[in-house]
Amino acid sequence: MTDELSNQKNRPKKRSEMSDKERVRDFQRKLYLKAKQEKNYRFYILYDKICLPHVLREAYAECRKKGERPGIDGVTYEQIEREGKDEYLKGIKQELEEGTYRPLPVERTYIPKANGKMRPLGIPIIKDRIIQKACKMIIEPIFEADFEESSYGFRPKRSAHDAVKEIKAELREGKTEVYDADLSSYFDTIPHKELMYLVGLRICDKRVLRLIKMWLKAPIYEDGKYSGGKKNKKGTPQGGVISPLLANIYLHLLDKAVKRNGGVFQKAGIHIVRYADDFILMGKKIKKEAIKYLYGMMERMKLKINEEKSRLISAKMEPFNFLGFTVRYDNDIHGRGKRYWNIVPSKKAEQRVKDKIKEFCKKHGHASREGVVSGLNSIIRGWVRYFSIPKTSYPAVAKRRLRYYMITKLYRYYRRKSQRKCKLYNQGAFGILVKRYGLLDPTKLCFL
């Protein structure tokens, strides 16, 4: 009896027993293995997989988790579910199978960047997001089989933490010359023709290629006007579900060039760490010839390096920032005459979290204590989690500064809460909220 139960647990699941997620991952695994084993194989029957009901259901579930705002048609997830999610997905399937699907224009909005400028984002309608997600789930494993280990951005089971760990490991190996590169408006300048050529090296299903082309050519809606469309020859909207994958496919050329045996970078012992369009080159010595080659390569790829923000430094002499972290070569705090690689939250990262707390307090001037605690905990938890990398980063000092800021900010918040002084005024609001209401103290929050 025990042996029978054990055999039942170990036997592979039938398709009818699998969840949508399990079925999708099972197929992704097969695609990945095929692509990994045959580097020159081109996949020619993929479109019908995008149309499968379980693929569309899983794509919807993944998009629904993010709960992003609707696009220009105003349709929300709540509206879809009220009117019938299954019928909605059947309609998408029918449009795809009949070839009548056309993406709607992408709504352009802007979010503030760390340097005070605004970053453009494209917001597709929910239907377009679902189809893009379904397409991404099918084609991503193919390109994942080709991508280099040095690429970390927007990839499964990879994160900014992994990139920072890699940087520290390379520094410890003596690769302390760093070229900190910045690409000008990368997502807006990716050339369509060259990008589609690279996609076509792995995928020859014309219907899948047509889908991607339609998304690249989708018009932009901004301030009541439409721009772009079929005449547009470059750019993929930041904010589109499939855009990060397309961006990685194009910059994979750079990763390959750095890794190429006998190439300029490989001969000089130069290593690259890339997170989407943010990347650094690291080596014991980075000569001008390598930088010149990089500029020439970017020019051939029709991309542009921002010379004002890009620089070559010796990391032992000068700190540098990457992905919100500052990397420094510091003296030992105990005065033992040693130095170590110290990776901490950057000053801009500290200011951003303070700005978020300030904005939250400004918008929630009449919130209950529980509401204040809930909102601030969400901000603090996410920030501390991001900057806490086991055996790699040291955010303790930044957490103490954040704690002090919260003490002073909450004191002012409750002092101005009403014409009559609030009960928390002059009673140490931060301490009371921590003890009685569960407010997180950054200095005691640890993910290491």
Side-chain angles (χ1 to χ4, degrees):
M1 185 68 175
T2 306
D3 291 340
E4 288 180 11
L5 290 172
S6 178
N7 290 334
Q8 286 180 359
K9 287 181 180 179
N10 293 330
R11 71 173 175 81
K13 284 185 178 180
K14 297 179 181 178
R15 282 189 180 182
S16 58
E17 299 172 333
M18 291 182 178
S19 65
D20 291 339
K21 182 183 286 291
E22 287 172 330
R23 290 184 68 182
V24 168
R25 289 193 174 175
D26 182 62
F27 184 64
Q28 287 177 324
R29 194 177 300 111
K30 292 174 181 176
L31 287 172
Y32 177 85
L33 291 173
K34 178 70 174 177
K36 198 73 175 174
Q37 291 164 0
E38 299 185 40
K39 293 292 186 182
N40 297 317
Y41 185 81
R42 297 177 73 202
F43 293 78
Y44 53 91
I45 304 178
L46 295 174
Y47 187 83
D48 60 322
K49 310 300 186 297
I50 296 171
C51 304
L52 291 171
H54 70 273
V55 172
L56 292 174
R57 285 196 300 267
E58 181 59 18
Y60 178 88
E62 289 294 315
C63 292
R64 183 70 173 92
K65 283 180 188 176
K66 296 188 176 181
E68 297 156 323
R69 55 174 283 191
I72 64 169
D73 63 351
V75 175
T76 64
Y77 290 106
E78 291 77 14
Q79 182 180 339
I80 292 169
E81 287 159 12
R82 277 198 310 270
E83 296 173 1
K85 183 187 78 175
D86 291 339
E87 289 300 315
Y88 183 79
L89 295 178
K90 282 181 183 177
I92 290 178
K93 182 176 185 295
Q94 185 175 349
E95 283 187 44
L96 289 171
E97 289 177 340
E98 294 177 355
T100 58
Y101 164 72
R102 299 291 183 277
L104 285 185
V106 175
E107 183 180 2
R108 173 162 284 176
T109 187
Y110 293 86
I111 59 172
K113 295 171 67 175
N115 59 8
K117 296 182 179 180
M118 303 299 285
R119 184 190 302 278
L121 284 184
I123 302 177
I125 65 168
I126 289 176
K127 181 198 290 186
D128 293 340
R129 285 178 226 167
I130 294 168
I131 300 173
Q132 285 188 30
K133 185 66 179 179
C135 180
K136 184 186 176 191
M137 289 192 303
I138 298 302
I139 70 172
E140 185 175 49
I142 298 167
F143 294 99
E144 273 295 317
D146 297 333
F147 288 160
E148 299 288 346
E149 292 295 315
S150 55
S151 168
Y152 294 93
F154 306 110
R155 294 183 60 191
K157 298 181 180 179
R158 286 173 166 259
S159 67
H161 284 193
D162 298 317
V164 175
K165 288 178 184 177
E166 180 70 13
I167 288 171
K168 191 166 188 177
E170 293 296 323
L171 289 169
R172 283 175 169 171
E173 288 184 10
K175 294 179 181 177
T176 58
E177 282 215 356
V178 174
Y179 184 73
D180 184 4
D182 183 86
L183 294 177
S184 299
S185 304
Y186 172 62
F187 280 83
D188 294 331
T189 55
I190 300 174
H192 293 173
K193 182 179 177 181
E194 287 79 358
L195 172 62
M196 291 306 301
Y197 171 78
L198 293 175
V199 175
L201 291 178
R202 273 303 205 173
I203 296 171
C204 58
D205 188 325
K206 292 182 180 179
R207 292 178 296 178
V208 174
L209 296 176
R210 180 172 172 269
L211 270 182
I212 296 172
K213 281 182 183 177
M214 285 196 295
W215 292 324
L216 291 174
K217 302 290 185 183
I220 303 294
Y221 178 78
E222 182 180 4
D223 297 330
K225 298 179 181 179
Y226 294 92
S227 60
K230 292 182 179 180
K231 294 182 180 179
N232 187 27
K233 295 182 180 180
K234 62 182 182 178
T236 175
Q238 233 175 320
V241 176
I242 204 166
S243 295
L245 174 60
L246 298 178
N248 272 334
I249 290 170
Y250 198 59
L251 270 186
H252 175 58
L253 283 176
L254 172 62
D255 299 336
K256 285 203 303 181
V258 175
K259 295 284 185 180
R260 186 180 299 123
N261 287 332
V264 172
F265 299 109
Q266 196 268 342
K267 282 182 180 178
I270 293 173
H271 182 74
I272 185 173
V273 178
R274 183 174 68 82
Y275 189 94
D277 57 329
D278 292 323
F279 68 92
I280 59 172
L281 300 179
M282 307 179 71
K284 293 182 178 179
K285 184 69 178 177
I286 299 179
K287 296 182 179 179
K288 290 183 179 179
E289 289 78 5
I291 305 299
K292 185 177 179 181
Y293 186 87
L294 174 66
Y295 270 77
M297 183 177 181
M298 292 297 101
E299 187 175 346
R300 292 191 295 275
M301 291 175 67
K302 300 182 180 178
L303 302 175
K304 187 177 180 182
I305 293 178
N306 188 331
E307 294 186 32
E308 293 181 1
K309 294 183 180 180
S310 302
R311 61 195 183 123
L312 177 64
I313 63 166
S314 170
K316 284 189 173 181
M317 303 297 294
E318 187 178 353
F320 66 94
N321 295 328
F322 191 68
L323 301 178
F325 292 86
T326 294
V327 182
R328 305 191 305 241
Y329 195 50
D330 284 349
N331 292 316
D332 182 75
I333 59 175
H334 300 293
R336 291 174 294 192
K338 297 180 181 179
R339 299 184 77 184
Y340 68 100
W341 292 107
N342 192 11
I343 300 179
V344 298
S346 68
K347 294 297 183 186
K348 287 183 179 179
E350 288 189 45
Q351 188 57 49
R352 278 199 298 272
V353 72
K354 291 175 183 177
D355 290 342
K356 283 185 179 180
I357 291 171
K358 181 180 179 181
E359 187 67 18
F360 174 83
C361 291
K362 184 178 179 181
K363 289 183 177 179
H364 299 82
H366 299 287
S368 66
R369 294 168 193 182
E370 292 81 3
V372 170
V373 167
S374 176
L376 291 180
N377 280 354
S378 178
I379 296 170
I380 297 160
R381 188 184 293 109
W383 191 85
V384 174
R385 187 187 293 276
Y386 179 80
F387 288 103
S388 300
I389 309 177
K391 300 180 181 179
T392 301
S393 66
Y394 304 94
V397 174
K399 289 195 289 185
R400 287 198 292 271
R401 284 197 288 259
L402 178 57
R403 182 181 187 272
Y404 177 76
Y405 177 80
M406 292 176 67
I407 290 171
T408 56
K409 187 64 188 175
L410 287 170
Y411 167 77
R412 293 177 189 144
Y413 174 78
Y414 282 106
R415 186 179 62 181
R416 292 196 301 259
K417 197 167 176 66
S418 64
Q419 290 180 345
R420 293 194 307 173
K421 292 176 182 176
C422 171
K423 289 181 180 180
L424 287 177
Y425 174 65
N426 268 352
Q427 293 183 23
F430 177 82
I432 291 173
L433 291 177
V434 168
K435 289 178 182 178
R436 298 183 189 174
Y437 297 91
L439 178 65
L440 295 174
D441 182 340
T443 61
K444 296 179 181 177
L445 189 61
C446 184
F447 295 100
L448 297 177

